[in-house]
Amino acid sequence: MYVPAGEGPARWFGADLYTMKLRANQTNGAIGFVEAWVPPGGGSVAHTHDKQSETFYLVSGELEFLDGDTTFAGHAGDIFFIPPNTRHRFVNTVLEPAKLLFFYTPAGGSEEVFLEHGDEPQRGVHQEPWGEERFNEAVMESFRRSGTVFLP
């Protein structure tokens, strides 16, 4: 499978722009691969995946990562491996955007949640971060089906 640079379906999700480079249905469930642009204040909330490992590679910028109960600063070139059922998240706490790659192994469909519930980007338009109301029951049910559990 070949996905050229700049290709793959993209969606705004929360404050971040996610481009799905490889999806579960394209790889027979072997891997899901997402390219993320994370603006200042963007990122994810704490969560786990019941059957997936998640690997993050920070291409540029800085992000704060949570692994279990420990937070640490991530810098360009750092890689992080999160096994199943481990509480984790990332947040951009600096003033510059970050570029992050994340890999789900095996693929479990989280990338499909982004596609199904995210907002299609419009050229030249930067989306405002979502409020809590966007994380409605339909979104949460899709995450539950993918094995994602949100935690405090």
Side-chain angles (χ1 to χ4, degrees), residues 17-75:
L17 182 61
Y18 294 155
T19 302
M20 278 45 74
K21 304 301 275 185
L22 293 173
R23 296 162 39 203
N25 64 358
Q26 297 171 306
T27 65
N28 289 328
I31 188 169
F33 176 38
V34 178
E35 181 180 76
W37 181 80
V38 185
S44 64
V45 298
H47 63 280
T48 62
H49 303 284
D50 64 353
K51 295 181 177 82
Q52 297 172 290
S53 295
E54 194 166 7
T55 302
F56 298 99
Y57 178 76
L58 189 51
V59 176
S60 64
E62 296 179 26
L63 294 173
E64 179 186 273
F65 283 87
L66 172 70
D67 179 7
D69 292 322
T70 305
T71 59
F72 51 94
H75 305 278

Side-chain angles (χ1 to χ4, degrees), residues 62-106:
E62 296 179 26
L63 294 173
E64 179 186 273
F65 283 87
L66 172 70
D67 179 7
D69 292 322
T70 305
T71 59
F72 51 94
H75 305 278
D78 291 349
I79 193 165
F80 310 94
F81 174 78
I82 309 294
N85 298 306
T86 301
R87 181 174 174 251
H88 63 283
R89 63 126 174 89
F90 60 88
V91 176
N92 187 337
T93 60
V94 299
L95 297 176
E96 300 295 325
K99 184 174 183 180
L100 178 68
L101 306 177
F102 49 100
F103 307 83
Y104 297 108
T105 51

Side-chain angles (χ1 to χ4, degrees), residues 8-20 23 34-37 111-122 127 130:
R11 297 291 186 274
W12 286 103
F13 201 87
D16 307 345
L17 182 61
Y18 294 155
T19 302
M20 278 45 74
R23 296 162 39 203
V34 178
E35 181 180 76
W37 181 80
E111 65 279 7
E112 297 302 324
V113 177
F114 303 144
L115 280 172
E116 182 180 350
H117 296 287
D119 297 323
E120 194 159 341
Q122 304 299 314
Q127 179 159 315
W130 291 3

